[in-house]
Amino acid sequence: MPITRTQGAAIPHIYLPNNAQKQSAYNVIAQLQYADLWRAAGQLRTNGVMRVDMQGHIPGAVTQYNIQVQVNGVNGQSTVAHVIVSGSLQTGNAQNQQGALNAVIAGLNQSIDTGCTFTVAGSVP
């Protein structure tokens, strides 16, 4: 099964970014590396205005990874983008890693544009 990006429900309690914040969000998302997708909970990347956080893992038959883009310096509701990444996308092949990373980046960018959560799943060869 190829890699898929599926739009889900609206992000609960979303923070609606202004245009400058959106651009900062796109920029910090572009900093993501493949290894970031599988890290423990905590901050993955930041650019001062926005950050990408690993919120944690969702156990199941296949572990899923909860990644959010949030506004720095905002207490409470600060999420502007959200993806759930399937652990089925883990691979040792560099070319397939880049494909999985590209799908997650696209999912986060689409999440900003739509205000919805995206799930990135499937498998890599």
Side-chain angles (χ1 to χ4, degrees):
M1 178 167 100
I3 297 174
T4 60
R5 280 189 321 276
T6 307
Q7 182 174 326
I11 299 169
H13 312 293
I14 190 169
Y15 180 98
L16 297 175
N18 62 37
N19 286 337
Q21 291 168 322
K22 274 187 181 182
Q23 196 57 51
S24 289
Y26 296 134
N27 290 341
V28 76
I29 290 166
Q31 294 176 19
L32 280 173
Q33 300 293 313
Y34 177 78
D36 293 333
L37 306 180
W38 322 115
R39 294 197 192 285
Q43 182 175 288
L44 302 176
R45 301 287 165 171
T46 186
N47 65 7
V49 176
M50 294 283 179
R51 69 184 181 277
V52 181
D53 287 347
M54 173 64 71
Q55 295 294 316
H57 306 154
I58 303 165
V62 175
T63 301
Q64 295 179 310
Y65 299 81
N66 179 356
I67 299 175
Q68 296 182 19
V69 179
Q70 298 178 323
V71 183
N72 286 326
V74 172
N75 291 327
Q77 303 165 355
S78 63
T79 300
V80 300
H82 180 225
V83 295
I84 300 295
V85 181
S86 173
S88 65
L89 298 178
Q90 291 183 358
T91 179
N93 178 285
Q95 184 176 359
N96 292 330
Q97 288 176 355
Q98 190 61 50
L101 176 62
N102 289 346
V104 171
I105 288 171
L108 285 167
N109 288 336
Q110 286 180 295
S111 181
I112 292 170
D113 295 340
T114 64
C116 294
T117 293
F118 277 77
T119 300
V120 182
S123 60
V124 290

